[in-house]
Amino acid sequence: MKIKLFSIAFILAVFYACSPKISQPEAPITTEAVLSPELAQGKILYENNCAKCHDLFNPKSFSAEQWIPIMLNMQKKAKISDEEREIIYAYLIK
């Protein structure tokens, strides 16, 4: 009886060792697009000024038209200049 169990285990081990291995597909590597210096500055301004008070929104959360009143309202609260607002806006609508 022990010889039969050992033989079956040995045969199963050989079959398992010789079977083709199915590899899992690798997760795709996502890379962020390289930003121009102006857009990189807008991203930095956005992160440094807007994250002080609330979580940051994904720039794709709103359309370019929807960002305009949001930016005008937030400019007052964040106390940023018109130039900084425009730089952030350019980043958000990229």
Side-chain angles (χ1 to χ4, degrees):
M1 181 73 173
K2 289 183 180 180
I3 294 176
K4 285 183 182 179
L5 287 175
F6 180 73
S7 298
I8 291 172
F10 179 75
I11 291 171
L12 289 174
V14 169
F15 278 124
Y16 177 75
C18 294
S19 66
K21 305 297 181 240
I22 300 173
S23 63
Q24 296 294 328
E26 292 183 20
I29 298 173
T30 57
T31 57
E32 276 191 42
V34 178
L35 298 176
S36 67
E38 294 82 16
L39 292 179
Q41 182 183 10
K43 180 179 181 185
I44 291 168
L45 286 170
Y46 177 61
E47 292 171 348
N48 291 339
N49 289 293
C50 302
K52 290 178 185 176
C53 300
H54 57 80
D55 291 335
L56 296 177
F57 291 100
N58 182 334
K60 303 291 184 210
S61 296
F62 301 102
S63 68
E65 294 79 26
Q66 291 171 321
W67 275 117
I68 294 171
I70 295 169
M71 290 297 303
L72 291 172
N73 187 30
M74 291 294 117
Q75 177 184 7
K76 296 171 193 164
K77 293 179 181 182
K79 298 177 182 161
I80 58 175
S81 68
D82 290 341
E83 181 183 353
E84 290 171 321
R85 183 195 71 224
E86 290 301 318
I87 294 170
I88 294 170
Y89 179 73
Y91 164 70
L92 292 172
I93 64 167
K94 70 173 176 5

